[in-house]
Amino acid sequence: MHTAVNHSHNWVKRAIQLIESDYQRSADTHLIKLNVAAFPAVDIYLKDESTHPTGSLKHRLARSLFLYALCNGWIGPNTPIIESSSGSTAVSEAYFARMLGLPFIAVMPKGTAKKKIEQIEFYGGRAHLVDRSDEIYAESHRLAKELDGHYMDQFTYAERATDWRGNNNIANSIFSQMKLEQHPIPKWIVMSPGTGGTSATIGRFIRYQQCDSKLCVVDPEHSVFYDYFQTGNSTTTLDRGSNIEGIGRPRVEPSFIAGVVDEMIKVPDSHSIVTMQWLHEHLGRKVGPSTGTNLYGVLQLAKKMQQNGESGSIVTLLCDSGERYLDTYYNPQWIEQTIGDISISRDHLKQLLS
Ligand SMILES: *Cc1c(COP(=O)(O)O)cnc(C)c1O
């Protein structure tokens, strides 16, 4: 018995050491300055989270969730890891599960990008598909029970697994990279919610550091976060998933902390898509659709600042690369079938940028 406990203790120590040494070998992500001719007085920045080893901001979350679970004694040398995910979190968790030699199963809705499923399998994980995006939670609980595994539950633990006071979290990194800019304290930081964890980290950090920055959260068309923010009703649900992968939820996730949000904007899916396309042309790089949602929010706020004669900076996130979505968001046929006619949004964006 004693030996078994020691063995497990040593295993946990080794597991944490593996994750920490991986972190030590990693570099910070870039903060890209975007020049938008329509808003000469507003400096716009993109925190490029696509450059993590597993390709998205979820690399940070996966690392935090594994460390949190290990330090809580929830994971041992033989614990299968289960997660409910629309894809990106599962890719990053599969990477860390393989690092620790643990089996990994992702419970995902059918229709998740093929590239993501391939990436999960590349890291030795397995995809377990369900019909509807609101079924992933119950199925994850069931699997964890059946396999004596641990359900990571990003939608509950994202906000508390991350060290919000600092310790190299994403907000910490943004503010330190902004230090030498003309407007080092952003007027706004804009983020779209999936778990809500990143918004929570940024919002709490702003308050803790006593900054004047405000947090604007941009919610996609098919999601309940915006309604919840307006009404305070946390039981609102939708019977469908979001069209913008990675963001928008059919239920109010526990990790979404409305109290740290200063403003929310609801963004139609077609606006997100045309802004994503605009950024692709402007940056010479494909970005994911949630980055389109983020940037649309930024452009709205920039326009308002310009109308009020204000100058300053706005920071948002480039959440992942568009290379993952070549057969979906970068396929005009798929867009027409899934999102519909986007020509009105194209005109709208043109006007916003004129
Ligand atoms: C998860 C995710 C988001 C939202 O981040 P949260 O911290 O979960 O709110 C945005 N974009 C992409 C691509 C994501 O995977």
Side-chain angles (χ1 to χ4, degrees):
M1 185 66 189
H2 187 70
T3 323
V5 169
N6 268 339
H7 171 78
S8 154
H9 185 81
N10 281 336
W11 184 86
V12 170
K13 253 169 63 178
R14 174 79 185 134
I16 290 170
Q17 191 206 355
L18 282 169
I19 296 174
E20 289 293 283
S21 53
D22 180 72
Y23 180 70
Q24 190 65 33
R25 295 190 302 270
S26 303
D28 200 358
T29 59
H30 301 279
L31 189 65
I32 299 170
K33 186 158 186 250
L34 188 71
N35 293 311
V36 182
F39 309 118
V42 182
D43 294 334
I44 296 172
Y45 299 84
L46 292 162
K47 177 75 168 154
D48 184 3
E49 293 291 293
S50 73
T51 62
H52 289 289
T54 56
S56 81
L57 76 167
K58 291 306 190 319
H59 199 77
R60 294 178 191 271
L61 175 62
R63 184 195 291 126
S64 298
L65 286 169
F66 268 95
L67 287 174
Y68 190 66
L70 284 163
C71 293
N72 281 332
W74 292 344
I75 300 178
N78 301 308
T79 311
I81 307 299
I82 324 287
E83 182 63 294
S84 53
S85 170
S86 63
S88 290
T89 304
V91 174
S92 301
E93 286 176 344
Y95 169 92
F96 286 101
R98 185 180 72 169
M99 182 186 289
L100 307 186
L102 300 173
F104 179 76
I105 302 167
V107 181
M108 301 189 293
K110 270 184 190 156
T112 300
K114 244 192 285 169
K115 274 255 156 61
K116 282 189 188 165
I117 296 176
E118 283 167 15
Q119 277 172 305
I120 290 164
E121 288 169 350
F122 173 80
Y123 290 120
R126 195 156 66 75
H128 180 92
L129 301 178
V130 297
D131 286 330
R132 291 155 45 108
S133 65
D134 55 2
E135 289 171 349
I136 57 176
Y137 316 101
E139 184 61 9
S140 299
H141 275 296
R142 193 194 66 76
L143 265 183
K145 209 166 175 189
E146 182 184 303
L147 303 173
D148 197 19
H150 174 62
Y151 172 27
M152 280 291 214
D153 196 358
Q154 58 166 336
F155 295 108
T156 299
Y157 294 108
E159 59 88 3
R160 69 194 83 156
T162 302
D163 197 342
W164 55 271
R165 289 181 193 86
N167 193 15
N168 300 310
N169 71 31
I170 190 165
N172 212 187
S173 169
I174 289 171
F175 279 91
S176 104
Q177 288 177 322
M178 285 293 290
K179 248 179 204 157
L180 301 182
E181 299 306 303
Q182 194 187 354
H183 306 287
I185 303 296
K187 278 255 154 65
W188 291 98
I189 298 183
V190 179
M191 179 54 188
S192 48
T195 63
T198 307
S199 305
T201 301
I202 293 169
R204 286 165 172 162
F205 188 86
I206 287 170
R207 280 163 181 74
Y208 185 61
Q209 295 291 325
Q210 304 144 56
C211 288
D212 291 328
S213 306
K214 285 184 174 171
L215 173 65
C216 175
V217 172
V218 281
D219 203 26
E221 196 170 321
H222 302 286
S223 177
V224 297
F225 292 127
Y226 179 85
D227 287 353
Y228 167 57
F229 185 71
Q230 303 301 330
T231 65
N233 178 5
S234 65
T235 61
T236 315
T237 57
L238 282 178
D239 60 2
R240 56 156 298 162
S242 169
N243 272 339
I244 307 298
E245 214 169 302
I247 59 169
R249 301 296 311 162
R251 67 169 202 189
V252 179
E253 301 297 350
S255 269
F256 180 78
I257 310 294
V260 302
V261 179
D262 294 294
E263 189 171 323
M264 281 194 76
I265 300 175
K266 188 94 179 157
V267 181
D269 292 341
S270 54
H271 287 13
S272 296
I273 301 298
V274 297
T275 312
M276 175 196 86
Q277 292 171 339
W278 180 86
L279 188 58
H280 175 206
E281 276 169 40
H282 205 75
L283 207 58
R285 277 175 52 189
K286 293 188 177 74
V287 301
S290 68
T291 305
T293 312
N294 286 348
L295 188 63
Y296 180 78
V298 169
L299 298 177
Q300 282 282 346
L301 294 167
K303 183 96 176 180
K304 243 189 231 168
M305 283 174 65
Q306 177 158 286
Q307 284 166 348
N308 296 337
E310 291 175 64
S311 62
S313 58
I314 307 179
V315 179
T316 195
L317 271 66
L318 194 170
C319 298
D320 65 354
S321 155
E323 304 299 330
R324 284 176 160 178
Y325 308 105
L326 297 181
D327 50 358
T328 53
Y329 300 94
Y330 285 88
N331 172 355
Q333 266 174 320
W334 182 92
I335 289 177
E336 199 176 329
Q337 280 165 12
T338 315
I339 312 287
D341 184 11
I342 57 172
S343 57
I344 293 171
S345 292
R346 200 168 281 135
D347 295 341
H348 166 77
L349 184 66
K350 211 182 248 172
Q351 209 164 28
L352 185 60
L353 289 168
S354 66

